[in-house]
Amino acid sequence: MTSNAHTAWDGLILGASLATLDAPAGYADILDGALAWKDGALAYVGPRSGLPDAPQRLAREVIEAKGWITPGLVDCHTHLVFAGDRAREFELRLLGASYEDIARSGGGILSTVRATRAADEGELLRQSLPRAHALISDGATTVEIKSGYGLDFDNERKMLRVARRLEQLGIGVRTTYLAAHALPPEYAGRADDYIDAAIEWLPKLHAEGLVDAVDAFCEGIGFTPEQTRRMFEAARALGLPVKLHADQLSDLGGGALAAAFDGLSADHVEHTSEDSVRAMAQAGTVAVLLPGAFHVLRETALPPLEAFRAHGVPMAVATDCNPGTSPLQSLRHAMQLACTHFRLSPEEALRGATVNAARALGLHDRGVLRVGARADFVLWNIQHPAELCYWLGGRLAQSVHAGGHRVT
């Protein structure tokens, strides 16, 4: 909690309490705090009383504030770039249709594929921007965005290009290649051939700087563990980290499969076995909880939360923002759902959307308030951090900074 040797800081906020999360447990709070930044990084994190000089001599801009400051939220699992919506499918599920029924009848992911393929890059960006703005306005400063609604080279590329263009909003964006999301109609009955094609596209997209990680949907209605393994081997050959849609609807050993490739994360994990939990713990693979999909699908099988805690597997929380199973545009609301459905404590949920979510993206420069970390932080109009998981809806963020720049 010390300052860098400095010329004038770019900015300094005084008076707000700080939930630094820079400790193994607790909020690591600092009351009547001071937070300074310079050149996009945090330069002072500590009590106001510890400042080395009068505030006006220390920074170009000095802001008196009330409330709490937390690290910027990190949404480590989204499908934010897509065209169209699936509101009708939401209605069908309420009338009794299952997720599998809808998928097998040509709906589900493939209906979004049709809409996304029909949209050009400009239209896809136009439709995606409001979702990105919604996440930012509720505290997100880093967002992971997956492909997977193109399912051919040109349209996967289009999705990843749009995801990269969202960096214009000033936030951090991590792109994930998810061509192994569903089988496109032109490959019906030829899943192995499709995986061959998706593996062939990967080096080309990586060479264009469009891929930060590789993911797959390993499930009975998705791809087999062996097909997933082939995709992950291709990622490893390129030095790309992997993530996995694992054990959402059944236990195919997805958590262990992700761990076998030193995966950054295994996501969903409702049906993950304790053997897979042990493998994840040994590999350092983060369990990403997606309570939005659990809520919308009205699932009942809880992730093995006590096993994650017992084996020391970090738990992240994300929106899974997507048009079909989690049309959720607030990471703070995802935190609330994680507390309500999964019985996470508010502290666990906040850590899940900050430090653990950053770890699930392989990012170690954010998710905490610490000198030298990226200056991603949110000033909240709250009396205690637990309020972030208490209120359903409403605007709590007074200001959101990413890389030292105010983005809302």
Side-chain angles (χ1 to χ4, degrees):
M1 299 180 185
T2 58
S3 64
N4 295 326
H6 72 279
T7 55
W9 294 325
D10 296 330
L12 171 64
I13 298 179
L14 300 171
S17 298
L18 312 179
T20 71
L21 305 181
D22 192 19
Y27 295 110
D29 53 298
I30 299 170
L31 305 182
D32 191 20
L35 186 83
W37 61 95
K38 182 177 175 59
D39 297 333
L42 294 176
Y44 180 89
V45 180
R48 185 205 297 249
S49 61
L51 290 172
D53 204 342
Q56 290 73 18
R57 298 168 59 109
L58 291 169
R60 298 187 184 95
E61 180 183 21
V62 179
I63 303 166
E64 286 280 352
K66 297 180 179 179
W68 281 77
I69 297 174
T70 72
L73 304 185
V74 177
D75 200 346
C76 64
H77 181 129
T78 86
H79 303 256
L80 186 146
V81 172
F82 60 85
D85 66 69
R86 291 181 5 221
R88 174 58 179 158
E89 292 180 15
F90 173 69
E91 186 172 31
L92 289 173
R93 283 198 302 272
L94 293 175
L95 293 173
S98 71
Y99 181 50
E100 291 91 338
D101 291 339
I102 292 169
R104 294 189 188 284
S105 66
I109 292 169
L110 291 182
S111 66
T112 300
V113 171
R114 290 190 292 272
T116 301
R117 286 180 171 184
D120 64 21
E121 188 171 314
E123 176 61 17
L124 194 55
L125 177 65
R126 186 191 69 78
Q127 292 193 39
S128 301
L129 276 169
R131 295 186 285 271
H133 281 298
L135 290 174
I136 295 167
S137 69
D138 217 13
T141 54
T142 299
V143 178
E144 183 258 15
I145 303 174
K146 303 178 190 296
S147 67
Y149 294 128
L151 307 187
D152 63 27
F153 177 79
D154 289 339
N155 286 293
E156 288 290 293
R157 180 175 183 267
K158 177 177 68 179
M159 289 187 69
L160 293 166
R161 283 173 53 87
V162 170
R164 280 281 189 249
R165 289 178 66 180
L166 291 174
E167 292 175 338
Q168 70 191 33
L169 301 178
I171 61 171
V173 172
R174 302 296 286 179
T175 55
T176 299
Y177 180 64
L178 182 58
H181 194 198
L183 192 62
E186 59 269 26
Y187 279 89
R190 298 189 295 127
D192 285 330
D193 291 343
Y194 176 68
I195 291 295
D196 288 341
I199 289 171
E200 183 181 342
W201 305 332
L202 177 57
K204 302 173 187 177
L205 296 171
H206 179 47
E208 293 186 31
L210 294 175
V211 180
D212 296 320
V214 173
D215 195 350
F217 183 34
C218 184
E219 193 56 73
I221 59 171
F223 294 93
T224 67
E226 181 53 38
Q227 290 161 348
T228 300
R229 184 178 295 275
R230 289 172 53 209
M231 178 60 72
F232 283 2
E233 287 170 349
R236 184 160 59 186
L238 293 170
L240 286 167
V242 302
K243 304 164 65 67
L244 185 61
H245 284 63
D247 309 325
Q248 179 185 9
L249 305 173
S250 61
D251 180 12
L252 295 183
L257 176 57
F261 284 84
D262 296 318
L264 292 174
S265 68
D267 303 28
H268 286 290
V269 295
E270 281 92 333
H271 294 269
T272 296
S273 69
E274 187 151 0
D275 285 344
S276 284
V277 173
R278 291 191 188 94
M280 291 169 63
Q282 186 172 359
T285 298
V286 176
V288 177
L289 307 181
L290 302 174
F294 184 93
H295 176 78
V296 170
L297 293 174
R298 296 181 295 171
E299 294 287 356
T300 57
L302 293 170
L305 303 165
E306 290 307 318
F308 289 143
R309 293 185 181 110
H311 292 284
V313 175
M315 292 183 288
V317 176
T319 63
D320 192 16
C321 176
N322 75 69
T325 61
S326 188
L328 180 55
Q329 300 181 75
S330 165
L331 183 48
R332 190 172 60 80
H333 195 172
M335 292 160 58
Q336 203 283 338
L337 291 174
C339 292
T340 300
H341 287 304
F342 300 157
R343 301 295 192 269
L344 263 61
S345 70
E347 179 204 329
E348 284 180 313
L350 180 57
R351 286 182 173 276
T354 52
V355 59
N356 290 344
R359 181 173 174 177
L361 296 179
L363 300 174
H364 303 288
D365 64 344
R366 65 199 75 186
V368 296
L369 302 180
R370 177 192 303 146
V371 169
R374 181 177 153 100
D376 291 356
F377 58 90
V378 185
L379 173 62
W380 304 95
N381 183 25
I382 55 176
Q383 300 301 309
H384 189 274
E387 289 187 55
L388 298 177
C389 298
Y390 167 71
W391 293 107
L392 281 165
R395 178 69 183 268
L396 298 185
Q398 297 183 50
S399 63
V400 180
H401 284 70
H405 300 285
R406 184 168 178 172
V407 292
T408 187

